[in-house]
Amino acid sequence: MFLPIVGTGEYLLQPIFIDNVYQAYVGALTNEKATNKIFELGGPEALAYEKVIDTIATAIGAERKKIHLPVSLMRINAALMETFLPVVGMTPPVTRAQLKMLQEGSSCDVRPSLETFHLRLVPFAQGLATYLKP
């Protein structure tokens, strides 16, 4: 089975462990320094999308062959799915907006949240190991 990777797979993501989100949420409710402020949350490392996929595959013990699909081809497929799947009552599995967001990456400056909430951010692979097993 092949695992599709959109484009190069080098766009950055910064996945955060759910326990760290919980800690920040509680901190936002209880820490006066958080009042009327917006905090970006992210994990301790910005990882290329392909590295995220590799880490998940390793965590579940499922090595898969990857195939890189051109972004232009994925945009065409997404446009077709957005047009025709709703007609038959289905939701498209991927949209052009999602492809754009993926390509733009998703990383942030975590320093303000670390300073305010004193988070000990859990690395992606370590967080996965707590709930994904091979």
Side-chain angles (χ1 to χ4, degrees):
M1 177 176 203
F2 287 97
L3 192 65
I5 304 290
V6 177
T8 65
E10 292 300 314
Y11 25 88
L12 296 178
L13 304 175
Q14 200 167 347
I16 184 169
F17 187 51
I18 190 65
D19 287 358
N20 290 142
V21 174
Y22 168 76
Q23 292 164 349
Y25 182 77
V26 170
L29 295 173
T30 59
N31 186 334
E32 288 184 17
K33 292 179 183 177
T35 302
N36 294 322
K37 293 186 180 166
I38 296 172
F39 293 90
E40 295 180 324
L41 295 177
E45 57 211 346
L47 303 170
Y49 176 76
E50 190 163 357
K51 175 69 175 166
V52 170
I53 295 300
D54 291 342
T55 304
I56 294 168
T58 299
I60 63 173
E63 294 301 318
R64 299 278 166 92
K65 293 190 186 281
K66 295 175 283 192
I67 183 169
H68 289 262
L69 301 172
V71 174
S72 56
L73 176 64
M74 293 301 297
R75 274 196 208 109
I76 292 168
N77 285 336
L80 290 170
M81 288 188 285
E82 287 177 62
T83 302
F84 295 110
L85 288 182
V87 172
V88 295
M90 295 175 66
T91 301
V94 65
T95 65
R96 288 171 287 182
Q98 290 169 329
L99 290 172
K100 183 178 180 184
M101 286 174 44
L102 185 65
Q103 282 188 283
E104 290 173 352
S106 182
S107 60
C108 64
D109 179 6
V110 298
R111 285 178 292 175
S113 61
L114 293 177
E115 292 167 2
T116 304
F117 306 124
H118 308 287
L119 302 175
R120 290 190 193 128
L121 295 177
V122 177
F124 181 60
Q126 183 182 337
L128 280 179
T130 65
Y131 60 90
L132 290 182
K133 306 288 183 216

